[in-house]
Amino acid sequence: MPLKQRIYIAGHRGMVGSAIYRELESRAEYDLLTASHSELDLMDQQAVKRFFDEHQPDQVYLAAAKVGGIHANNTYPAEFIYENLMVECNVIHQAFLHGVKKLLFLGSSCIYPKMAPQPISEEALLTGFLEPTNEPYAIAKIAGIKLCESYNRQYGQTHGVDYRSVMPTNLYGPGDNYHPENSHVIPALIRRFHEAKIQQMPAVTIWGSGKPRREFLYVEDMAKAAIFVMELGQSTLDHHTSPMMSHINVGYGEDLTILELAQTIAGVIGYAGEICFDATKPDGTPRKLLDSGRLHHMGWRAQVSIKDGLKKTYEAFQETIKP
């Protein structure tokens, strides 16, 4: 029997990485490699080298990243650019040095200009100014895309390097970060509406005007999309991408306002109080809907609706707060 492919999932304890791990584990086709932060600091070049020396993975899913919402990005810009650049450079370069042929880099839809035409196609990359609140994080993610493309261009023919990038829209689901200040919008709202319900608060106030439109993708769908792209045949990928425009959007296909999102979450949780908005706080990008036509043409679409995904996410959140 041939040996199973050894797949290293960097960031396996994060929301996306853990979803990819569960999906690959369910297939029982692979030997999965993981390392927690206490076991492997991905910002330490020599530590990453030793890990690759010891384990010799065949494939890598690079889902490790420092992530956060508007408040976190505004408060810790130096950490967001430095830590993400270091992780990407160390993992991608050591993957190449150790003969890894297939790698998937997970980026973010914040790589696109703040005022990009909607829905945002892959071609919008580097065509305008980024959203200032998360520019450092976005710059790091753009660098990750270009790292993958550069290794492909220089070593694709000679070494068989095939490093791919996917750009998910806003993600949510089990394993998310529910920190009251540093979390993204869906986990932040789930926590606040849950606490408001328990404490019987008459109203919940949310940052911004409630008017920005956002697209959200359930993380289990994202995991399936990531594996789909990783396993896609080279000829199909080449037909839909180009060497210097190779990243692939992964979205749900529809968006909604923050107000509509808040109302949906309140309904799922059973909170009946008033929803207020503090328009003195920043809104961020006015709208962010990805054009996922490239991925759709290659044969993949999201399956989990926003309401069903929020129900599953709230169930997972309740498990995290059980005594």
Side-chain angles (χ1 to χ4, degrees):
M1 292 287 291
L3 294 175
K4 290 183 178 180
Q5 284 271 298
R6 295 169 65 80
I7 298 181
Y8 169 44
I9 304 170
H12 76 288
R13 287 187 172 176
M15 179 173 61
V16 184
S18 62
I20 292 172
Y21 183 93
R22 290 192 297 271
E23 182 65 24
L24 288 173
E25 186 181 40
S26 71
R27 302 185 181 196
E29 300 172 16
Y30 307 105
D31 180 10
L32 302 182
L33 303 171
T34 61
S36 66
H37 180 72
S38 61
E39 296 168 321
L40 173 61
D41 180 359
L42 293 176
M43 290 192 294
D44 183 335
Q45 187 179 69
Q46 291 305 310
V48 176
K49 179 184 182 301
R50 288 192 295 270
F51 179 84
F52 276 81
D53 284 343
E54 179 180 353
H55 296 286
Q56 297 293 322
D58 300 297
Q59 299 181 27
V60 174
Y61 283 82
L62 181 42
K66 181 177 181 65
V67 298
I70 291 176
H71 176 82
N73 276 273
N74 256 339
T75 308
Y76 312 110
E79 292 177 26
F80 272 87
I81 192 166
Y82 174 76
E83 294 184 19
N84 284 297
L85 283 171
M86 291 297 289
V87 168
E88 295 160 8
C89 288
N90 288 340
V91 173
I92 292 172
H93 187 59
Q94 291 303 323
F96 166 70
L97 292 179
H98 287 80
V100 174
K101 300 295 193 292
K102 294 185 70 66
L103 178 146
L104 189 77
F105 171 69
L106 280 84
S108 167
S109 58
C110 71
I111 63 168
Y112 295 116
K114 178 176 181 176
M115 303 308 293
Q118 303 289 324
I120 308 171
S121 71
E122 287 87 353
E123 286 74 17
L125 182 65
L126 299 176
T127 60
F129 291 104
L130 299 165
E131 161 58 43
T133 55
N134 60 15
E135 182 189 72
Y137 176 74
I139 291 290
K141 288 298 183 180
I142 292 170
I145 296 170
K146 295 305 176 182
L147 270 170
C148 290
E149 289 182 350
S150 298
Y151 279 83
N152 289 342
R153 291 167 58 205
Q154 188 167 345
Y155 299 112
Q157 292 295 321
T158 58
H159 293 69
V161 168
D162 179 10
Y163 296 171
R164 304 177 180 186
S165 300
V166 287
M167 298 301 115
T169 190
N170 301 293
L171 300 173
Y172 69 100
D176 210 338
N177 167 27
Y178 295 93
H179 189 280
E181 291 182 340
N182 295 340
S183 59
H184 288 108
V185 62
I186 284 182
L189 290 180
I190 285 176
R191 177 171 181 150
R192 293 178 70 185
F193 280 120
H194 173 81
E195 291 176 349
K197 177 185 175 182
I198 298 301
Q199 298 168 16
Q200 298 183 325
M201 295 169 61
V204 169
T205 300
I206 300 168
W207 272 30
S209 66
K211 296 177 182 178
R213 301 187 67 86
R214 292 290 183 272
E215 176 187 32
F216 298 96
L217 181 69
Y218 188 58
V219 71
E220 301 291 349
D221 269 344
M222 181 60 217
K224 292 175 181 176
I227 296 166
F228 174 86
V229 170
M230 180 70 118
E231 297 178 345
L232 201 62
Q234 190 68 52
S235 60
T236 302
L237 185 74
D238 289 347
H239 180 71
H240 292 280
T241 64
S242 62
M244 296 183 71
M245 190 63 67
S246 64
H247 59 288
I248 298 168
N249 287 344
V250 185
Y252 177 67
E254 299 175 12
D255 60 0
L256 73 170
T257 66
I258 297 300
L259 171 59
E260 291 168 336
L261 173 68
Q263 291 170 335
T264 304
I265 292 174
V268 165
I269 291 174
Y271 175 74
E274 186 180 0
I275 301 173
C276 306
F277 287 88
D278 181 357
T280 66
K281 301 296 185 182
D283 268 338
T285 306
R287 189 185 189 198
K288 205 162 63 171
L289 173 65
L290 292 184
D291 179 352
S292 299
R294 177 179 283 185
L295 185 57
H296 295 164
H297 286 122
M298 290 188 282
W300 187 91
R301 286 180 180 270
Q303 300 297 314
V304 181
S305 71
I306 184 72
K307 189 169 185 178
D308 288 344
L310 288 172
K311 287 179 180 177
K312 294 179 181 181
T313 305
Y314 184 50
E315 290 170 4
F317 168 74
Q318 289 175 299
E319 289 295 320
T320 70
I321 58 175
K322 281 186 177 180

